[in-house]
Amino acid sequence: MFQEKRPLFLYCLSPVHMGAGTALGVIDNPIQREKHTGHPVMAGSGLKGALRHDRSQEWDEDKLLSIFGPNTDDTAEYAGAVSFSDAQLVAFPVRSPKRTFVYATSPTALARAARLHHSADVVCPWVGTIPMVQTDQCCIVDPDLKTGEKVALESFEFTAIDHEISTISKWLAEHALPQGDAYKFFRDKMKNDLVLLSDEDFNYFVQNSTVVEPHVRIDDVTGTASEGGLFYTENLPPESLMLSLIMASKERRRNGNKLSAKEVMNLLVDGNDKISGIKELMFQIGGEATTGRGQVVLSVLGKEGE
């Protein structure tokens, strides 16, 4: 069905609220999470819709119809030529007394990232070499993160063990973040401040260290706080790194000259001499747009990024 596939990294520049729609706990507006891992996730349908809306500010209607398909409730006529997988978590920022924060990850998060790249024929040089760590242990790149033999994250201490993860951190720094001077600091930080935790410890942070903000509902008539109007909204924190997969087929419109799957992918990612694509695009996704939430920047890989 899809002839072209390319990995898509999303790096959060602000808190991001991709709402789950239902609240099962004390948080009134939780973010989307995977049921089996508890990791934050961004639905592919929401990602596609947000990108379509963003590109509608620049692209003409013909290009939008070619790539994304009709923007109506009735899509029976034909579907869009691109699809996005749900974005999975790769790295999560965790407070550190020595580095302000580090990029935490886990064996499962890295293995899933390597598997997604494999499906797009992009080779991760660290595939098959991900160290396994036990609870209360960690692997680090920079030994200066240690105090003695311990690494402090939030209010916890982890024992640093000797496993090489610099190949992983260097590859992520070179491919997961945009190029250019604006992101050099963060590429260097990813290279030096990646911390590999056990799946259990990583899961604790991603479930308990998100941004939870109180809001007050304002009465439209009085302009004051409504009684019982206090509610809490959860956000994915800035500096989080997510990964999706762009999948492209040939154009599905019945009439006219149809774009091939490769042409669809190239137009979406790189644009042409008249329009810009989504490569290294900064755009808004999710809710709370009027409060500055949801700013992310994209990095798209291909075979040339191996």
Side-chain angles (χ1 to χ4, degrees), residues 105-125:
T105 188
S106 75
T108 295
L110 291 175
R112 297 176 81 187
R115 181 179 63 187
L116 183 144
H117 281 80
H118 175 75
S119 70
D121 295 325
V122 177
V123 178
C124 296

Side-chain angles (χ1 to χ4, degrees), residues 56-129:
S56 68
Q57 311 304 309
E58 179 183 343
W59 292 12
D60 58 38
E61 188 68 13
D62 182 70
K63 292 293 188 297
L64 289 173
L65 293 174
S66 296
I67 304 300
F68 293 101
N71 187 25
T72 66
D73 293 332
D74 181 12
T75 58
E77 183 180 356
Y78 65 93
V82 294
S83 182
F84 297 82
S85 71
D86 293 350
Q88 301 171 349
L89 185 65
V90 178
F92 186 84
V94 176
R95 282 191 303 157
S96 165
K98 290 208 169 184
R99 290 288 196 276
T100 305
F101 74 93
V102 299
Y103 294 101
T105 188
S106 75
T108 295
L110 291 175
R112 297 176 81 187
R115 181 179 63 187
L116 183 144
H117 281 80
H118 175 75
S119 70
D121 295 325
V122 177
V123 178
C124 296
W126 39 269
V127 64
T129 64

Side-chain angles (χ1 to χ4, degrees), residues 137-168:
Q137 295 181 341
C138 69
C139 298
I140 59 176
V141 178
D142 188 351
D144 286 343
L145 279 173
K146 294 191 295 184
T147 301
E149 295 303 316
K150 300 290 187 178
V151 175
L153 300 177
E154 293 278 1
S155 57
F156 303 95
E157 286 189 333
F158 300 87
T159 301
I161 58 175
D162 292 329
H163 279 296
E164 180 61 51
I165 62 169
S166 61
T167 300
I168 300 173

Side-chain angles (χ1 to χ4, degrees), residues 1-2 50 91 107 113 117-119 124 197 206 246:
M1 183 178 181
F2 295 107
H117 281 80
H118 175 75
S119 70
C124 296
L197 300 172
V206 303
I246 310 173

